[in-house]
Amino acid sequence: MSDTRYLFKRGKTWWVKISVPPSLRPALGYDLRRSLRTQDLETARQARSQVVAEFRERIARARRELDGPTDPKPVQADGYQITAREDFSDVTYLLELSHPMLAEAAQPGQFVLVISHEHGERIPLTIADFDREAGTITLVVQAVGKTTREMQQRCVAGSTLHSVVGPMGIPSQLENAGKTVFVGGGLGVASIYPQVRAAQEAGAYVIGVVGFRNRELIFWEDKFNRYCDQLIICTDDGSAGIHGLVTKGIEAAIEEHEDIAELVAIGPPIMMRACAEATRPHGIKTTVSLNPIMVDGTGMCGGCRVIVGGEMKFACVDGPEFDGHQVDFDHLMGRLRRFIEQEKQALETWAEGLTGAAAP
Amino acid sequence: MGGGFDGRGRALIGAGKLATETKKTIRTIPQERTPIPEQPASDRIGNFDEVALGYRPEDALREAERCLLCKEAACVPACPVAIDIPGFIERISEQDYRGAYDILTDANLLPAICGRVCPQEDQCELVCPVGDVLEPVAIGRLERWIGDMGLEEGWHNVPHIEPVPYRIGVVGSGPAGIACAADLAKAGCEVTIFEALHAPGGVLRYGIPEFRLPNEVIDAEMENLTRLGVEIQCNTVVGRMFTIKQLRTEMGYDAVFIGTGAGTPRFMGIPGEALHGVLSANELLTRCNLMGALQFPKYDTPITIGSHVAVIGSGNTAMDAMRVSLRAGAEKVYCVYRRTRQESPAREEEITHAEEEGVEFHWLTAPVELLDDGEGAVRAMRCIRMELGEPDDSGRRRPVPIPGSEYEFEADTVVYAIGTTANKVIGQTSELELDERGYIATDDDLSTSMAGVYAGGDIVTGAATVILAMGAGRTAAGAIKDYLKIRDTEVVYQPDGAKEGPFGFDPRERNHVRLRLPPDHTVPEPALSGSGSQEG
Ligand SMILES: Cc1cc2nc3c(=O)[nH]c(=O)nc-3n(C[C@H](O)[C@H](O)[C@H](O)COP(=O)(O)OP(=O)(O)OC[C@H]3O[C@@H](n4cnc5c(N)ncnc54)[C@H](O)[C@@H]3O)c2cc1C
Ligand code: SF4
């Protein structure tokens, strides 16, 4: 008899069929079959093996599925790798993360939300730099509360963060490429950097005003110099540059240049308010970047609500940049103190845990 | 054959056993609805365990007896995903629980979830004819029971999937996205869900608290999605990481479904909203459910729930916020609502549970101002009493303030649960047409103004329900199949009637994509093999 294994004829056409083990029938049916689109037995024999192999594979796959994947695909991301770290001072540190998609999408003025470990909170951090080619983003963090201090200890190159999501917020929009002053105070120095670079690349005349407590804490001076037409450094103690706050630097800049079109400031709320007050008499458009407490950062909790021009806005989706002359800074500063007690408690418990763990 | 088949392949009267059994009537069925065991109110406010404990087998069997197995069951079209309700209840009575599970999960991937949170009383149970005389069949409780059994037994209903060469992007992992992804995965598409948060599930995860919907139930039912081959990519904000347009073009997705929900909380704009202790229900629930704030400081996210909590609003969200507050240790929890209990949008069951747990309801009351304690925190709420006036557009009588009726009451936490609006990011970052309220505008088939892009769930309708969102996800999946010209695999072939056919099989059985046999059904191998046996 001729070899018709796995073959059967329907009308005049040859088909392949292999039967399915009973346990898999609920998923696959009695059998798997497919037309070979030929009436010639010899051709059908030749075509047969490939189809049979494919069906076998499908049955094997169904069996694996039935047994359950040995390791169901993790629903949560495995983590985001830290590729480099640099310490600017004993409280300020830089983390570089590998995240090509995020690096591709990031724009000046945007931020990310980070969860450092499974039990961690979601904290917003401004994107301080991004490198599309290397696929990295840079965050600069100041160790103030429990989360950021813990990150200071745990986040070394090669370690991972539990979750990083972004880029969040509306990218900053420089309305004109005239003379623009970029002000960064403390941590805000890092946050303002992508805007400085973008403005310079867009052809603006860029004046940078950066403030630090003292000479030792200065960072990224070279980076700023590369993209600023003029860089004004201010230190609280006068150990470098202008002696005083960034507002002194702003005043100096305004005095020197009559045609400043815009000022962008990032830093602690009290500094941003001072900047807005410094420009108000001169009618210079002033943009500030707000960083209130957020939970989800996608507009769902309203924890980040701020008052701008008498209207409620959500900093995460309507901002983070707003007209500095319209922002209600008292409201912002009040709301930033919401969890002060809990933060203290978290820090204490954490510190106790550390000393406890250190004991033998 | 004597009988016909309805659209879902179920034998109609005359074809099978229905005809031979003595017919059930309203008089012969158990008269009382089988109650569901619950944790006593005094215990449950001290824990986050589930309130309704679920049926025991004897409860389920008794309740299944109450179903009249109507021929043209009114409940089926009343269910947004058209579950074959009499079909699955009949299987319960036959103690074919696996069969019941399969029928349920053909239409609804998340039976354990829907059985818990669906407003059955407004849907399937509302139209149940038993309800005309007695209390309707407890369809939701039976659904939950089978769903739970499926989870316990580790059942999954994974049909044979014939791959088609299409890739689908689903934005948002709430009920709408889940339902759409499941249907398209079953149709053979390669489906990826993008979720902004670090955990999938949408409101199911961040909103509805554990005592109503335990996280394990969500995890387990979501796992069935991954079994269908759906990939879930968390930590991805579509619109910002990449746009809808990029998905359709550079990234090579043949169609996109948007189910991003309506999560943006509303505030009232009354004085004092900036005070500490004033927050949205979403913030409270997100902190507690998603971020584990009640286990602070083990979890890093803090929450402050004071001793006197006033929740404004009376929907499901308000009920959840109040009941979480009670469990978090609040002494007094008030519900402040400007209409009456009759107009309250929450499910009756939720209101009853909240009442049992000691929530104090202030109907016909509206806040006018939140008062400062002098240190930037809220101390009390000034309210005004309302009365019902003429009906408004929604047909409900409009509440109007009673002049001079203002009064104050103490509250150190004030929670806003007065509704939400569309999530903004997609609107901000795409050219999709929105309606005047900021929701995505769609046609009846849920197609948007961009070709190949569909939307559904709360982002189209405004805040609604889990099952309506799932229904929308399934409608959109149908439209996407049409758009991509994929054969509809929805109609599940059930070979019940086949028993009646010649040689024990159904003459119409021929290359069906999905074939399901009862577990005990065996067909002798030789009957099917051999050349030419399929002709006829
Ligand atoms: C507290 C609460 C209790 C409720 N109780 C009930 C109940 O008992 N019964 C009931 O039937 N209904 C209830 N509802 C309503 C029900 O949960 C919703 O109607 C339903 O979840 C809507 O589903 P959805 O898929 O449209 O959106 P959602 O569930 O809101 O899911 C949307 C998802 O999309 C994500 N997303 C948003 N934007 C983006 C983006 N740009 N990129 C990627 N992802 C994005 C979100 O993070 C979210 O996960 C309740 C709602 C709340 C808030
Ligand atoms: S899904 Fe909801 S409406 Fe449909 S049968 Fe179940 S409880 Fe009823």
Side-chain angles (χ1 to χ4, degrees):
Chain A
M1 223 185 98
S2 59
D3 170 16
T4 54
R5 243 161 36 113
Y6 305 120
L7 295 178
F8 74 97
K9 221 175 184 177
R10 183 173 230 175
K12 290 194 171 132
T13 307
W14 285 103
W15 285 58
V16 174
K17 185 184 76 178
I18 90 174
S19 59
V20 171
S23 64
L24 298 176
R25 286 186 187 159
L28 295 181
Y30 294 100
D31 53 28
L32 300 172
R33 54 179 74 188
R34 181 183 298 162
S35 165
L36 292 170
R37 304 212 172 136
T38 177
Q39 305 191 352
D40 176 45
L41 179 59
E42 202 42 49
T43 323
R45 278 191 192 132
Q46 279 163 16
R48 167 178 64 186
S49 58
Q50 202 194 333
V51 180
V52 168
E54 191 192 316
F55 285 172
R56 288 253 152 86
E57 160 58 23
R58 203 193 282 166
I59 289 173
R61 199 167 59 209
R63 179 167 289 136
R64 283 197 298 272
E65 264 161 33
L66 187 77
D67 296 339
T70 32
D71 178 18
K73 209 175 175 75
V75 174
Q76 286 195 357
D78 296 316
Y80 297 85
Q81 193 151 49
I82 297 171
T83 47
R85 155 150 178 179
E86 190 185 330
D87 285 73
F88 291 145
S89 73
D90 51 359
V91 289
T92 313
Y93 53 100
L94 171 154
L95 301 176
E96 186 188 84
L97 311 177
S98 163
H99 198 320
M101 261 173 124
L102 190 48
E104 182 64 40
Q107 304 273 348
Q110 293 187 301
F111 60 96
V112 292
L113 282 144
V114 170
I115 307 179
S116 62
H117 57 83
E118 213 185 324
H119 293 181
E121 57 178 331
R122 291 170 73 94
I123 57 163
L125 296 169
T126 307
I127 301 173
D129 201 358
F130 48 88
D131 183 336
R132 302 220 158 112
E133 259 151 48
T136 56
I137 62 158
T138 302
L139 307 173
V140 176
V141 192
Q142 200 163 34
V144 281
K146 186 234 160 179
T147 300
T148 45
R149 282 193 210 193
E150 192 183 37
M151 280 171 67
Q152 193 183 22
Q153 296 204 335
R154 294 166 67 130
C155 296
V156 291
S159 67
T160 57
L161 292 171
H162 181 64
S163 154
V164 176
V165 59
M168 303 296 206
I170 300 176
S172 56
Q173 262 120 14
L174 271 189
E175 272 175 17
N176 53 56
K179 266 189 193 165
T180 314
V181 182
F182 291 92
V183 189
L187 208 54
V189 174
S191 312
I192 200 90
Y193 170 72
Q195 306 207 35
V196 167
R197 182 175 57 190
Q200 200 268 350
E201 282 168 357
Y205 183 93
V206 176
I207 304 165
V209 178
V210 289
F212 299 94
R213 271 215 311 279
N214 58 47
R215 170 183 285 278
E216 275 68 55
L217 297 177
I218 295 176
F219 62 88
W220 283 7
E221 191 177 348
D222 51 333
K223 279 185 151 201
F224 274 89
N225 266 324
R226 197 172 326 143
Y227 293 105
C228 289
D229 295 286
Q230 184 183 358
L231 180 64
I232 302 172
I233 293 180
C234 309
T235 50
D236 293 1
D237 64 356
S239 51
I242 293 181
H243 185 169
L245 304 172
V246 286
T247 39
K248 271 218 169 144
I250 296 173
E251 277 157 21
I254 293 177
E255 214 158 285
E256 195 180 330
H257 306 270
E258 283 173 357
D259 50 347
I260 292 174
E262 192 171 343
L263 180 140
V264 184
I266 309 185
I270 198 146
M271 178 207 103
M272 291 191 286
R273 170 156 68 185
C275 295
E277 290 319 315
T279 54
R280 202 190 293 273
H282 304 275
I284 297 171
K285 177 170 186 249
T286 299
T287 304
V288 294
S289 172
L290 306 185
N291 206 348
I293 296 171
M294 296 179 185
V295 186
D296 61 284
T298 63
M300 291 191 310
C301 74
C304 65
R305 55 190 199 271
V306 292
I307 305 284
V308 181
E311 258 182 74
M312 181 186 298
K313 300 277 181 193
F314 289 4
C316 65
V317 290
D318 299 322
E321 298 194 344
F322 294 100
D323 180 348
H325 295 147
Q326 304 276 329
V327 170
D328 180 341
F329 282 102
D330 287 334
H331 173 267
L332 175 70
M333 289 189 270
R335 288 188 55 78
L336 279 170
R337 296 163 34 91
R338 272 173 81 194
F339 293 107
I340 263 182
E341 282 305 309
Q342 283 82 354
E343 274 161 26
K344 241 201 262 158
Q345 189 195 340
L347 205 52
E348 276 161 19
T349 324
W350 177 67
E352 271 164 32
L354 283 186
T355 47
Chain B
M1 271 191 296
F5 283 81
D6 66 4
R8 291 173 306 283
R10 201 155 40 81
L12 294 182
I13 207 86
K17 59 202 300 185
L18 288 186
T20 49
E21 257 175 21
T22 38
K23 208 160 175 287
K24 287 195 258 183
T25 67
I26 198 86
R27 278 175 218 209
T28 63
I29 61 170
Q31 302 289 294
E32 301 280 312
R33 178 182 244 228
T34 319
I36 191 162
E38 281 179 2
Q39 250 200 93
S42 52
D43 292 355
R44 69 193 191 221
I45 60 168
N47 64 48
F48 270 81
D49 299 340
E50 258 197 286
V51 169
L53 301 172
Y55 273 162
R56 296 160 301 181
E58 59 270 30
D59 298 328
L61 284 170
R62 180 178 179 277
E63 190 58 29
E65 270 317 297
R66 299 185 70 236
C67 176
L68 298 174
L69 305 175
C70 310
K71 272 178 278 176
E72 272 166 38
C75 50
V76 178
C79 167
V81 293
I83 292 176
D84 175 6
I85 296 169
F88 96 84
I89 295 186
E90 190 182 7
R91 295 299 155 94
I92 297 181
S93 296
E94 291 167 1
Q95 306 197 18
D96 172 11
Y97 303 135
R98 174 73 213 230
Y101 177 81
D102 287 342
I103 293 183
L104 261 179
T105 46
D106 280 336
N108 182 352
L109 190 74
L110 313 173
I113 294 177
C114 291
R116 286 175 167 81
V117 303
C118 250
Q120 296 101 7
E121 61 282 1
D122 297 326
Q123 297 178 161
C124 48
E125 294 177 10
L126 179 73
V127 297
C128 172
V130 174
D132 296 345
V133 188
L134 311 167
E135 269 201 279
V137 178
I139 299 170
R141 293 173 183 179
L142 290 173
E143 179 177 10
R144 166 180 168 177
W145 186 68
I146 290 292
D148 283 351
M149 182 180 295
L151 297 182
E152 247 160 61
E153 299 283 326
W155 291 336
H156 359 267
N157 182 359
V158 180
H160 165 59
I161 295 175
E162 191 75 46
V164 294
Y166 296 116
R167 297 174 73 205
I168 313 288
V170 171
V171 187
S173 64
I178 294 173
C180 184
D183 274 11
L184 290 169
K186 287 184 192 169
C189 302
E190 191 188 318
V191 185
T192 309
I193 300 186
F194 301 102
E195 168 57 49
L197 295 174
H198 57 279
V203 171
L204 304 175
R205 174 83 54 181
Y206 77 77
I208 302 180
E210 292 246 18
F211 54 84
R212 272 210 303 135
L213 180 60
N215 275 337
E216 298 127 56
V217 174
I218 309 175
D219 289 338
E221 296 215 320
M222 297 285 293
E223 199 190 306
N224 286 339
L225 201 62
T226 33
R227 271 177 213 281
L228 291 173
V230 175
E231 196 192 328
I232 304 179
Q233 201 175 309
C234 289
N235 294 314
T236 310
V237 195
V238 178
R240 296 263 169 238
M241 183 85 103
F242 42 78
T243 61
I244 299 288
K245 198 164 162 195
Q246 280 174 301
L247 269 174
R248 284 284 285 115
T249 54
E250 301 159 31
M251 297 173 67
Y253 285 87
D254 300 287
V256 170
F257 174 76
I258 305 173
T260 48
T264 310
R266 257 188 262 184
F267 290 85
M268 296 174 75
I270 58 176
E273 273 174 8
L275 297 172
H276 294 190
V278 182
L279 72 168
S280 74
N282 267 8
E283 179 173 356
L284 184 141
L285 294 169
T286 307
R287 282 179 184 271
C288 296
N289 299 337
L290 182 70
M291 305 306 301
L294 291 172
Q295 295 177 60
F296 180 87
K298 182 177 164 215
Y299 284 73
D300 292 344
T301 305
I303 179 100
T304 35
I305 295 180
S307 58
H308 290 63
V309 180
V311 177
I312 309 171
S314 174
N316 285 323
T317 312
M319 300 300 144
D320 286 344
M322 294 187 283
R323 297 171 68 197
V324 165
S325 302
L326 279 172
R327 285 162 178 76
E331 270 165 46
K332 273 259 161 232
V333 176
Y334 311 103
C335 173
V336 176
Y337 184 52
R338 62 200 176 113
R339 304 180 196 249
T340 71
R341 184 183 172 128
Q342 278 66 49
E343 286 88 20
S344 163
R347 296 184 58 195
E348 176 59 33
E349 183 184 318
E350 302 306 325
I351 303 181
T352 314
H353 279 151
E355 277 171 347
E356 286 167 5
E357 290 171 13
V359 169
E360 199 177 299
F361 284 85
H362 292 244
W363 306 113
L364 290 169
T365 306
V368 288
E369 186 181 355
L370 308 178
L371 305 168
D372 194 336
D373 69 351
E375 288 172 29
V378 62
R379 155 180 77 81
M381 188 153 93
R382 196 199 310 281
C383 291
I384 189 161
R385 291 201 199 282
M386 312 291 274
E387 60 191 350
L388 290 181
E390 296 300 307
D392 63 8
D393 300 341
S394 71
R396 298 184 297 181
R397 292 176 63 196
R398 188 197 306 273
V400 282
I402 304 173
S405 65
E406 290 190 16
Y407 68 105
E408 262 176 36
F409 70 81
E410 195 193 332
D412 52 11
T413 303
V414 173
V415 182
Y416 277 76
I418 53 169
T420 50
T421 56
N423 280 352
K424 280 188 181 172
V425 176
I426 297 293
Q428 286 173 337
T429 55
S430 71
E431 279 135 41
L432 285 174
E433 207 173 291
L434 306 180
D435 69 13
E436 63 285 353
R437 298 170 308 158
Y439 297 103
I440 296 179
T442 63
D443 291 343
D444 287 347
D445 68 347
L446 299 179
S447 57
T448 66
S449 59
M450 215 185 267
V453 179
Y454 295 75
D458 286 4
I459 189 60
V460 170
T461 55
T465 64
V466 171
I467 196 66
L468 283 172
M470 292 186 70
R474 300 201 71 201
T475 306
I480 290 175
K481 284 185 229 172
D482 278 352
Y483 172 73
L484 297 174
K485 309 270 184 295
I486 304 174
R487 182 170 156 211
D488 201 347
T489 47
E490 211 90 306
V491 188
V492 182
Y493 174 68
Q494 314 236 23
D496 295 23
K499 290 175 204 158
E500 323 293 314
F503 309 114
F505 48 135
D506 183 341
R508 296 165 309 160
E509 180 228 322
R510 188 181 283 157
N511 277 337
H512 275 279
V513 177
R514 300 180 65 187
L515 180 65
R516 173 163 310 113
L517 293 172
D520 57 339
H521 191 114
T522 48
V523 177
E525 204 77 4
L528 280 168
S529 53
S531 57
S533 69
Q534 293 304 298
E535 291 177 35

